[in-house]
Every structure is written in structure tokens, then in C-alpha cells.
């Protein structure tokens, strides 16, 4: 992937503000600072992603009251110097044959406690610990789980466009024949449609037909879809750098059985109730409780076997998570899925999923296709 990312705002002040907020959040969490290696956090904070992520150390060092510093291999310095955040940070480099950790160590406190990217290579973490035996490290998600959770206007626009593209793919797949075709063939159609409507990357295309729909993470296989099947369609990827993720359930044929309609209606009501519960200040776990209460009261509680939702942004799964025990409170700008489901083993499953963003007064859906049980040929 190019280091010149078109998925981020180009003004250095955007990134300067993000880096400053991250450093302040680290201090508030009792950390000396952050060590951010290539991945979504580095992209979020600087707009920079190396052409290739290799064994060579790249690290953004952030600490309250200190100038942000990006340490890169010398041969990659030109690319880093062209990143959107470059005017707002200091660049330092190290050459092949030298010790990269010796280049980083003077920029860290010898006995500091740092947050470090979840995806940091073990060799880099161990190298830092060897260079600074008195230092210690915590995972970035564990120490600052909400670092990327609140989206700015630019991010919300891109997430909305990704959601709209996924919606267009769903509308188009309703015109495709399902009966007599393998799940993998319909999944390939979905992937092609996502790309057609502007996605650069397809992350998943779940097509769970009949009994396979009772597996929430079923991978589309060679089962031939039959008339009378209920089919769970869950698909998404990245468009302009930001994620989409939506689920709808369809029936193959014109006359769904009463039980399928009834189960689908319970899930629809649960999804709607959870959406209506979204507002600033509400704990994440409360959204899960609301959806689960509807399904449990309808007698299907044991068949709702996953959390109600997950955050989305530069990756399709990230904090916040709508699950029991998550006491973080909703804040305007947070984006996450709401996706309750019912899964009847050996028979069929139903799930409805929208991406939702928190507004000043409630929630706004970024997916807007009908929630009714779809029908396909």
C-alpha cells in the first residue's frame, strides 16, 4: 500500500491535534507515552503507512510536552517525509547495520511505562526492553481502547460512503439468482458488487444458507442453496480507507414459513430497540442488554450467542464493543455495528446489522436498506 494515503485529511494540523490528544490521553492513563508501530493507529495519527511492513523498525514516539518523533529506516525516510503529518513532527532515521533500538532509546524515559501498538513485532518489543531494561509496556488497546473510537467529520463522511456502497451491493444482490447455486458463487457476486460500488478491499462475504446460517461466522462453502432456504448475508470491506459491514437475511422463494417470519421479526425488533437506546452517556453494555432483553423475552435468549456490536473505522473490528461488561460510555462520533441475531442449530439463522454513529441526541444509521425479510429467486 502506498505511503501517500488518500484516505486521510491532508492538513498537518489534523494530525498534530490527533497526536496531541493521544499524548494527553496516555498521560491521563498513567503512561510516559506511546510507541506506535505501522498499522491503523499509525495511519490514524500520521497518515503514514510504509510501502511494506518489514523487520525494519518504524515507530512514532508520543509523550505529553514533547515533540512527536517518527523513527524510520533511512531508506524509507523520503516516503515518511511525504506523509500528511510530516510538517507536524520530527523525523529521525537509522541505517542498515546500526542498532535501531539505540536510535529510539534516547527518546524514551529509561524507567517509563509505555503503551505500544498491539501489532508491534515481538522482536521490536524485546529489542526496546533490552535497550531500556527499566522500561515497561502495555498494549495500546488495553491502555487506550478508545484512541480511534470517536470519528471526526471527515471520517464520518467516509464511513457513510462505505455504508452506502454496501447498501448498493445488497440491493443488487437481491436481483441475483440464489436457488441452485453454491454459497461460494453468491459470495463471489457480493465481492464483485462491493468492488463495483467503490470498495478497494473486500474483507468478508458470509453467505450462510439453511443450517449454515446458524453459524454466525460461517464461511461461504460449496453447499447448494435450495428453494425454502433462509440465507444470512454478512459482507463488508474498505472503501477509501474506511470500513463497511452490514447483514441482512433473505428467504429463497416467495412465501417464507411463519416461523422464519416470526424469528426475523424478533431480531428486527431487537435491532430497532438497541438503535433507539443509542445516545451520549449510555454505557456500551446497555445497548447489548436492550437487544438481548427483546430476544430473551421472546424465548430465544440461548440462541443469541455473540455480542451486539463492535466499533468500525480504519478496520472493520475495533473498539468500542457493545458487550456485557463494557462500561465505556457512548460519545458523539463513535461508530459501531448493531447486529443481534438468532441461530437455531441445524435449521437456520437470522441477523440484521447496521453501522450506527452516535449523534448529539441519539443515533444515526449509516446503512439504510430495508430491515424486512428479503426474498430472492
Amino acid at each position: 500500500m502506498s505511503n501517500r494515503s488518500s484516505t486521510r485529511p491532508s492538513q498537518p494540523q489534523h494530525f498534530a491535534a490527533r497526536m496531541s490528544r493521544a499524548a494527553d490521553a496516555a498521560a491521563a492513563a498513567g503512561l510516559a507515552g506511546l510507541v506506535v508501530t505501522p498499522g491503523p493507529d499509525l495511519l490514524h495519527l500520521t497518515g503514514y503507512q510504509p510501502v511494506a511492513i518489514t523487520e525494519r523498525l518504524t515507530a512514532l514516539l508520543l509523550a505529553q510536552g514533547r515533540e512527536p518523533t517518527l523513527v524510520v529506516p533511512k531508506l524509507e525516510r523520503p516516503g515518511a517525509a511525504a506523509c500528511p503529518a510530516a510538517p507536524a513532527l520530527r523525523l529521525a532515521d537509522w541505517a542498515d547495520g546500526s542498532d535501531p533500538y539505540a536510535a529510539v532509546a534516547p527518546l524514551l524515559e529509561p524507567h517509563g511505562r509505555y503503551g505500544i501498538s498491539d501489532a508491534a513485532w515481538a522482536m521490536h518489543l524485546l529489542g526496546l526492553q533490552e535497550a531500556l531494561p527499566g522500561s515497561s509496556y502495555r498494549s495500546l488497546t488495553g491502555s487506550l481502547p478508545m484512541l480511534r473510537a470517536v470519528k471526526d467529520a471527515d471520517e464520518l463522511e467516509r464511513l457513510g460512503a462505505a455504508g452506502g456502497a454496501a447498501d448498493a451491493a445488497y440491493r443488487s444482490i437481491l436481483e441475483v439468482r440464489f436457488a441452485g447455486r453454491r454459497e461460494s458463487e453468491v459470495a463471489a457476486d457480493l465481492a464483485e458488487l462491493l468492488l463495483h460500488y467503490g470498495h478497494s478491499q473486500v474483507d468478508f462475504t458470509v453467505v450462510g444458507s439453511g443450517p449454515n446460517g446458524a453459524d454466525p461466522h460461517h464461511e461461504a462453502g460449496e453447499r447448494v442453496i435450495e428453494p425454502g432456504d433462509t440465507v444470512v448475508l454478512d459482507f463488508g470491506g474498505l472503501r477509501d480507507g474506511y470500513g463497511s459491514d452490514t447483514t441482512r437475511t433473505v428467504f429463497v422463494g416467495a412465501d417464507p414459513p411463519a416461523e422464519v417470519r416470526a424469528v426475523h421479526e424478533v431480531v428486527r425488533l431487537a435491532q430497532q430497540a438497541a438503535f433507539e437506546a443509542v445516545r451520549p452517556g449510555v454505557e456500551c453494555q446497555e445497548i447489548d442488554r436492550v437487544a438481548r432483553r427483546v430476544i430473551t423475552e421472546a424465548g430465544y435468549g440461548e440462541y443469541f450467542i455473540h455480542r451486539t456490536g463492535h466499533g468500525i473505522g480504519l478496520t472493520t473490528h475495533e473498539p468500542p464493543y457493545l458487550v456485557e461488561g463494557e462500561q465505556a460510555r457512548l460519545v458523539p462520533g463513535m461508530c459501531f455495528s448493531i447486529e443481534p441475531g438468532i441461530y437455531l442449530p441445524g435449521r437456520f439463522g437470522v441477523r440484521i446489522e447496521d453501522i450506527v454513529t452516535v449523534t448529539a441526541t441519539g443515533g444515526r444509521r449509516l446503512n439504510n436498506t430495508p430491515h424486512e425479510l428479503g426474498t430472492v429467486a
Side-chain angles (χ1 to χ4, degrees), residues 64-103:
Q64 192 176 51
R66 295 189 180 183
E67 183 180 19
T69 301
L70 181 61
V71 180
V72 299
K74 180 169 284 189
L75 77 167
E76 295 179 7
R77 183 174 182 125
C83 81
L89 51 75
R90 182 170 76 88
L91 275 178
D93 60 43
W94 59 276
D96 279 0
S98 66
D99 182 357
Y101 311 109

Side-chain angles (χ1 to χ4, degrees), residues 226-246:
E226 302 175 355
D229 278 348
T230 301
V231 185
V232 177
L233 304 172
D234 181 357
F235 51 96
L238 297 180
R239 183 187 187 279
D240 203 9
Y242 281 79
S244 68
D245 187 0
T246 188

Side-chain angles (χ1 to χ4, degrees), residues 18-231:
R18 288 180 182 177
M19 290 187 287
S20 178
R21 287 195 298 269
D24 290 346
L31 300 173
L34 303 178
V35 179
V36 185
T37 59
D41 291 321
L42 183 63
L43 186 59
H44 171 76
L45 292 166
T46 68
Y48 177 59
Q49 181 158 295
V51 173
I53 299 174
T54 70
E55 73 285 353
R56 293 184 173 97
L57 176 67
T58 292
L60 172 68
L61 309 177
L62 298 177
Q64 192 176 51
R66 295 189 180 183
E67 183 180 19
T69 301
L70 181 61
V71 180
V72 299
K74 180 169 284 189
L75 77 167
E76 295 179 7
R77 183 174 182 125
C83 81
L89 51 75
R90 182 170 76 88
L91 275 178
D93 60 43
W94 59 276
D96 279 0
S98 66
D99 182 357
Y101 311 109
V104 172
L107 303 173
L108 300 178
E109 295 180 11
H111 297 280
R113 186 166 177 252
Y114 288 87
I116 190 168
S117 297
D118 296 11
W121 287 27
M123 64 182 286
H124 296 324
L125 175 58
L126 294 171
L128 290 172
Q129 289 178 322
E130 184 175 345
L132 294 170
S135 64
S136 61
Y137 301 87
R138 289 192 62 197
S139 78
L140 206 52
T141 294
S143 53
L144 296 179
M146 300 302 164
L147 178 65
R148 306 195 320 266
V150 178
K151 273 58 180 182
D152 60 27
D154 176 81
E155 293 177 298
L156 290 173
E157 181 180 350
R158 295 173 194 273
L159 282 163
D167 285 353
Y170 174 68
R171 294 187 187 98
S172 293
I173 203 69
L174 293 178
E175 305 302 319
V176 170
R177 183 167 185 83
F178 279 56
R181 302 178 68 216
R182 294 181 176 86
E183 292 174 339
S184 58
E185 293 176 302
V186 176
D189 290 340
L190 271 173
E192 184 177 339
L193 287 167
L194 285 170
L195 295 172
H196 173 75
Y197 287 112
H199 280 63
S200 60
Q201 175 178 313
V202 177
D203 288 340
F204 51 91
T205 50
V206 173
V207 179
S209 65
N212 290 340
D215 176 1
H217 282 172
H218 171 71
E219 292 187 10
E222 297 308 298
R223 182 181 186 275
V224 175
I225 301 171
E226 302 175 355
D229 278 348
T230 301
V231 185

